[in-house]
Amino acid sequence: MEVFEQHESVVRGYCRSFPVLFDTADGSYLNSADGTRYLDFFCGAGTLNYGHNDPDMVEACIDYLRRGGLLHSLDLYSQSKAQFLRAFHARILAPRQFDHKIQFTGPTGTNSIEAAIKLARKVTGRHAIACFTGGYHGMSLGALAITANPAKKQSMGVQVPGVIRLPYDGVHLQDVATQLQMLEDMFCRPGYGNDLPAAFVLEAIQGEGGINCASDEWLQGVAALARKVGALLIVDDIQAGNGRSGPFFSFESSAIVPDIICLSKSLSGLGLPFAVTLLRPQYDIWSPAEHNGTFRGNNLAMLTATVALEKFWQNDDLTQAVHAKGQQLRQQLQEGLSGLPIGAHIRGRGLMLGIAFDDDSFAKRLSAALFERHMVAETCGPASQVLKCMPALTMDTRDLLEGGERIIQVAHALSR
Ligand SMILES: *Cc1c(COP(=O)(O)O)cnc(C)c1O
């Protein structure tokens, strides 16, 4: 580990929670250089929904490289882009009757967010962006400005005006109708003094914020409010999308149709950097090359994304499997943790589950103790008070139950 301490910036983070040297990975396992297998309940924060190194995606990459497939091409027309566009339309957009255009942004989630808020400002001619408590949208300046976490924002260095922070569903304990009325008052009642926003930006399930789910009614209300005040609705589905909660998009049960949808993390399927911003066609008003970038539409990632779409999204088998596995894990955890001396509260949807404990420091200690038992599970929430359970959607039942059992046993051992 000396090489990292000696040469890598102190900004490194996850490696401090999981300090071993990793070398290979397969399916639901990360393998350290000394051959220890770690069961992965984190999946790169939702980047590995189909597990590590899916053999069909790896094979496609090897073939592509062997035949001299184009790797870097700016945003030139490429065979892999054509195939991705066709597959994404056929497997994801058309079945949902979505008519969104696909914008390739720089390769990480935050790039997709920047494009979204920039376009919303251009469309509306407004500056303010309405965002929510607990929201996490990335580390570049615009995305960071609308992110809630103060520890991440302390080094922002400049002030970014025009951010209106609103309470997320459930933060104030009123019923949904009262919460929605409060939100509407903020913009529609005289005397509140808020600028009308260019957009409302939200996660339908907050990942970093602590696995908080918005109700369908609340999402519908925010969508209606956005329409009423002439703002765009941007859903950041970077972590919760790609089937993590069951359906491809996390907001599908609400039947809302966001004006802009941000996707990244699991989109490539293989963990390669790749992001897109989906735009309703009437808002696709960019001038050519107005939002540019050297690494947009990484060809290898478009290739593996296409394999993922054809392999997992031809029917709703994966969605059904995620519902069933999520139910199974939730029930196992609920029963197994019910006897703990401290309260454990399970939240989330599909295989995007979180466990909040009555003692805020417990999740952090649990994550560390699980790592000693060769399991990777991270924490989330503003005080790292929630243990995240995000196994691969493709994890087999035996590994899933094994992971659940380890969490239960270690939690009991720790709380004794
Ligand atoms: C990870 C994440 C981002 C940022 O993506 P990066 O690839 O890290 O830039 C934005 N929004 C959500 C919800 C995320 O989980």
Side-chain angles (χ1 to χ4, degrees), residues 45 108-111 113 136-139 203 208 236 238-239 264-265:
T108 72
T110 202
N111 298 133
I113 297 287
Y136 181 89
H137 302 291
M139 289 296 106
E203 296 156 86
E208 298 312 295
D236 175 348
I238 291 168
Q239 184 160 162
S264 183
K265 288 211 163 89

Side-chain angles (χ1 to χ4, degrees), residues 18 24 48 94 111 116 131-132 174 190 247 255 320 327 329 374 395:
F18 308 114
T24 62
L48 297 156
N111 298 133
C131 56
F132 291 89
Q174 293 99 340
Q320 297 306 331
Q327 199 50 43
L329 179 61
H374 303 156
M395 184 178 277

Side-chain angles (χ1 to χ4, degrees), residues 314-362:
Q314 298 228 22
N315 52 45
D316 73 349
D317 289 358
L318 183 67
T319 299
Q320 297 306 331
V322 171
H323 285 315
K325 288 177 203 179
Q327 199 50 43
Q328 200 170 14
L329 179 61
R330 176 190 289 268
Q331 199 174 338
Q332 182 193 17
L333 292 172
Q334 215 129 36
E335 283 168 15
L337 297 174
S338 63
L340 271 193
I342 54 168
H345 313 278
I346 295 154
R347 43 166 94 162
R349 253 204 320 264
L351 283 172
M352 188 160 182
L353 296 180
I355 315 171
F357 298 93
D358 285 344
D359 170 355
D360 268 2
S361 71
F362 193 77

Side-chain angles (χ1 to χ4, degrees), residues 142-198:
L144 187 54
I146 57 170
T147 289
N149 189 324
K152 295 277 190 278
K153 291 169 79 159
Q154 65 188 5
S155 53
M156 219 157 83
V158 295
Q159 291 206 329
V160 179
V163 172
I164 305 171
R165 177 92 40 201
L166 304 171
Y168 193 70
D169 189 9
V171 164
H172 297 299
L173 294 171
Q174 293 99 340
D175 58 275
V176 175
T178 312
Q179 294 184 54
L180 291 171
Q181 188 60 53
M182 275 175 50
L183 295 183
E184 187 174 326
D185 288 351
M186 299 263 309
F187 299 103
C188 300
R189 259 172 84 160
Y192 274 67
N194 284 315
D195 291 338
L196 289 180

Side-chain angles (χ1 to χ4, degrees), residues 54-67:
D54 177 278
D56 295 322
M57 297 177 207
V58 170
E59 208 52 47
C61 284
I62 293 169
D63 286 350
Y64 190 78
L65 293 172
R66 281 251 159 73
R67 74 174 181 87

